[in-house]
Amino acid sequence: MSWRSSNGRCGRWRDHRQVVNGVLYRIRTGVQWRDLPERYGPWKTVHERHRRWSADGTWERLLQRVQAEADAVGDLDWDVSVDSTTVRAHHHAAGARNEPPPVKKGLRASGQDRSDLGGPDRPAGGGGAGGEALGRSRGGFTTKLHLSADGRCRVLSLVITPGQRADCTQFEPVMDRIRVPRLTTGRPRTKPDSVSADKGYSNRRTRRYLRRRGIRHVIPEKADQAANRVRRGKAGGRPPGFDKERYKKRNTIERAINKLKTFRAVATRFDKRGYVYLGTVTAAALVIWLRS
């Protein structure tokens, strides 16, 4: 047990188990931090620990460890599906201070790279209101979760953007963040057996990316793209392959999203900072993995 507290002063850290239970209670119920039950300790301690773990990549490393253990025993289904979901942002999510996250030296930023964690010059998730992955879409003030899931409805990778960001623009970042370490030696596994996605990801860039990496994929062709290909004749090329049976498994990503949104702090965004909300979703995904 360290004798240096989270604020740098000398003192005993509050027990991690108690703090983690407090974080998970808040993620599941969506209560305000100030309303945490007393059994979890001071709410400021719980909130500060969650904020730091979201910034320094602790939640992400825990998620990768669980994924690695599942992969080691053959419990990870590498038929991956990709999709996104829009999350309505509460008005408490607005008004974040314009400052970078507290990432300690030697620790890698969680989920997304340093340029996505926020700050005066580096907006989180590609911009939005105050650079915190907040934007305006048909649903109002929203954040969009882009994710991939294995064949057992468990999250493999996460990216957050403003709500108006198109799905297809984040396909490559989502795929690039699939990284399951080995428990012994060897490079982390980053290449799935196959990928399925809906028509929102049907474009040349996505298919070219998958072909370059040698990944089998099932993405239905849009009607206007098929009509344009037929109109061009031989110059339009051959139609992309489509496996109906494999595409039926795409519902795994929908079920993974439904599981995530049973956590109230995920279904509605209350966190002001983008990297903190990403940590919230990552912690929820970790709980789903542990339950499975």
Side-chain angles (χ1 to χ4, degrees):
M1 180 69 69
S2 173
W3 285 91
R4 185 167 295 276
S5 63
S6 59
N7 59 9
R9 301 174 183 176
C10 293
R12 184 180 293 274
W13 272 62
R14 185 165 293 274
D15 182 49
H16 284 317
R17 181 182 296 274
Q18 182 185 28
V19 173
V20 169
N21 286 336
V23 172
L24 297 182
Y25 177 86
R26 184 263 174 179
I27 294 175
R28 179 172 57 84
T29 62
V31 300
Q32 296 187 26
W33 288 105
R34 294 175 182 271
D35 294 334
L36 278 178
E38 294 182 0
R39 64 179 179 272
Y40 300 121
W43 70 268
K44 287 187 177 180
T45 300
V46 181
H47 173 263
E48 178 66 14
R49 201 79 60 86
H50 174 56
R51 186 177 67 86
R52 286 177 175 269
W53 288 347
S54 298
D56 64 21
T58 299
W59 290 122
E60 181 192 12
R61 288 193 295 272
L62 290 174
L63 179 61
Q64 289 181 344
R65 174 68 184 189
V66 174
Q67 293 172 348
E69 291 178 354
D71 189 40
V73 297
D75 188 45
L76 203 160
D77 188 342
W78 282 98
D79 286 334
V80 174
S81 299
V82 177
D83 205 350
S84 70
T85 182
T86 300
V87 176
R88 186 66 182 267
H90 195 271
H91 62 269
H92 288 168
R97 294 179 179 178
N98 196 17
E99 58 186 11
V103 179
K104 296 181 180 179
K105 293 182 179 179
L107 294 176
R108 185 166 55 89
S110 66
Q112 304 179 82
D113 57 31
R114 284 283 295 172
S115 64
D116 293 334
L117 286 179
D121 300 321
R122 299 179 180 270
E132 297 297 343
L134 292 169
R136 297 287 180 179
S137 66
R138 291 183 178 181
F141 196 43
T142 55
T143 293
K144 183 172 282 189
L145 281 174
H146 307 262
L147 66 155
S148 64
D150 77 334
R152 297 188 60 187
C153 311
R154 299 170 299 188
V155 173
L156 288 176
S157 60
L158 287 163
V159 174
I160 62 171
T161 65
Q164 74 275 12
R165 191 62 55 83
D167 293 356
C168 60
T169 62
Q170 301 303 311
F171 180 82
E172 293 182 26
V174 169
M175 293 295 298
D176 291 341
R177 285 180 174 85
I178 297 177
R179 186 180 181 86
V180 178
R182 311 285 185 178
L183 291 183
T184 54
T185 58
R187 296 179 179 179
R189 178 166 179 177
T190 60
K191 180 181 175 180
D193 293 334
S194 66
V195 174
S196 61
D198 60 22
K199 292 183 179 181
Y201 298 90
S202 177
N203 57 65
R204 291 182 179 178
R205 179 172 178 175
T206 297
R207 299 183 191 275
R208 189 184 308 117
Y209 170 83
L210 292 169
R211 284 196 300 269
R212 185 173 65 249
R213 294 190 59 187
I215 301 175
R216 295 185 296 112
H217 58 277
V218 182
I219 303 176
E221 189 178 25
K222 293 181 179 179
D224 59 336
Q225 294 175 347
N228 183 57
R229 175 176 50 78
V230 173
R231 180 182 58 82
R232 296 180 62 190
K234 293 183 179 181
R238 295 178 298 177
F242 183 74
D243 186 347
K244 291 184 179 180
E245 293 301 319
R246 171 63 183 89
Y247 190 69
K248 291 179 180 179
K249 295 181 64 176
R250 199 191 68 82
N251 69 86
T252 55
I253 188 67
E254 307 290 350
R255 289 151 58 194
I257 292 172
N258 289 340
K259 288 183 178 182
L260 277 178
K261 287 194 171 181
T262 59
F263 296 85
R264 295 178 66 89
V266 174
T268 302
R269 174 176 170 175
F270 300 100
D271 300 309
K272 293 181 182 295
R273 302 303 303 269
Y275 73 92
V276 176
Y277 181 66
L278 182 61
T280 296
V281 182
T282 304
L286 174 61
V287 172
I288 295 173
W289 273 90
L290 292 174
R291 287 176 178 174
S292 67

